[in-house]
């Protein structure tokens, strides 16, 4: 079995467990307590998605240059309880970065919405790298944006891979972004 198939197969028991939960702050806390960075699930998925980026089957399509890439690994299927699996690679070392309120270099991605929410495994590739979730900055662990939420993905502190599971594969880029930074 290749690493892509291994990642999909490793995801299925997890998706079976969470298929009837609703993404949001409560679920995010549960994910980080139950499947945080020291858990076998986190370690396995992080290892496999790093391999996927190295082998070129994950986060291999440039969105806006080599430091902001993504790819759909699997469309929703009955086997994955209608969750899709996607990977995004973002690196705040990108020339288009800006300084945040704490003077960190931040790379901002495309504004988007989550009609049914999202389960997002955050895998830093650099010590201290973080992804901004709706509950704040997240290093190794999980974010779980609520159904109906909208945001810019942002990273600081280096490179992050986000492995995310979308209920029904739903994500929308059809929203007008707020004009403020």
């Amino acid at each position: 079995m290749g690493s892509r198939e291994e990642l999909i197969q490793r995801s299925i028991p997890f998706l079976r467990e969470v298929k009837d939960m609703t993404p949001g702050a409560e679920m995010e806390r549960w994910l980080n307590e139950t499947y945080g960075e020291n858990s076998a699930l986190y370690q396995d998925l992080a290892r496999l998605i790093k391999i996927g980026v190295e082998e070129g089957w994950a986060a291999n399509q440039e969105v806006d240059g080599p430091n902001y890439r993504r790819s759909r690994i699997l469309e929703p299927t009955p086997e994955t309880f209608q969750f899709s699996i996607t990977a995004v690679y973002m690196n705040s070392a990108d020339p288009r970065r800006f300084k945040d309120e704490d003077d960190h270099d931040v790379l901002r991605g495309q504004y988007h919405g989550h009609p049914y929410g999202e389960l997002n495994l955050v895998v830093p590739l650099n010590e201290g790298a973080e992804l901004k979730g709706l509950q704040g900055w997240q290093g190794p662990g999980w974010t779980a944006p609520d159904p109906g939420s909208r945001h810019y993905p942002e990273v600081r502190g280096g490179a992050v891979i986000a492995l995310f599971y979308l209920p029904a594969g739903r994500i929308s880029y059809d929203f007008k972004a707020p004009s403020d930074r």
Side-chain angles (χ1 to χ4, degrees):
M1 173 181 340
S3 54
R4 179 182 175 277
E5 185 60 29
E6 190 179 347
L7 181 135
I8 293 166
Q9 291 304 311
R10 186 63 175 103
S11 297
I12 290 171
F14 167 70
L15 295 172
R16 180 180 298 116
E17 183 177 2
V18 300
K19 67 183 172 63
D20 294 324
M21 299 173 122
T22 303
E26 184 178 326
M27 186 176 188
E28 186 172 303
R29 278 189 297 279
W30 179 84
L31 286 166
N32 282 303
E33 290 168 5
T34 308
Y35 294 117
E37 71 175 305
N38 295 318
S39 72
L41 177 72
Y42 180 93
Q43 293 295 317
D44 288 347
L45 293 175
R47 175 183 60 81
L48 291 165
I49 199 59
K50 286 178 188 177
I51 290 169
V53 170
E54 290 168 13
E55 291 179 348
W57 55 262
N60 58 2
Q61 299 163 4
E62 289 188 11
V63 177
D64 195 7
N67 288 318
Y68 182 25
R69 307 185 309 259
R70 76 173 158 250
S71 66
R72 180 71 57 105
I73 296 167
L74 185 71
E75 294 295 331
T77 68
E79 185 180 30
T80 60
F81 307 95
Q82 301 305 325
F83 281 85
S84 64
I85 304 174
T86 301
V88 171
Y89 169 88
M90 294 179 73
N91 188 340
S92 66
D94 190 275
R96 291 164 293 126
R97 67 188 180 267
F98 64 91
K99 296 283 189 186
D100 70 3
E101 62 278 355
D102 299 320
D103 205 36
H104 292 102
D105 287 331
V106 174
L107 177 65
R108 175 176 282 167
Q110 291 178 314
Y111 189 76
H112 64 277
H114 301 285
Y116 301 137
E118 173 186 50
L119 307 178
N120 188 4
L121 181 81
V122 180
V123 182
L125 299 178
N126 302 110
E127 183 75 29
E130 298 175 299
L131 177 77
K132 189 171 191 176
L134 297 179
Q135 314 308 319
W137 290 99
Q138 176 68 54
W142 295 84
T143 67
D146 309 270
S149 60
R150 299 175 187 176
H151 68 116
Y152 287 103
E154 293 181 340
V155 297
R156 70 181 185 187
V160 167
I161 301 169
L163 174 66
F164 57 94
Y165 302 93
L166 294 169
R170 292 291 310 276
I171 190 166
S172 177
Y173 296 93
D174 295 333
F175 299 109
K176 183 176 179 351
S179 57
D180 63 325
R181 188 187 287 234

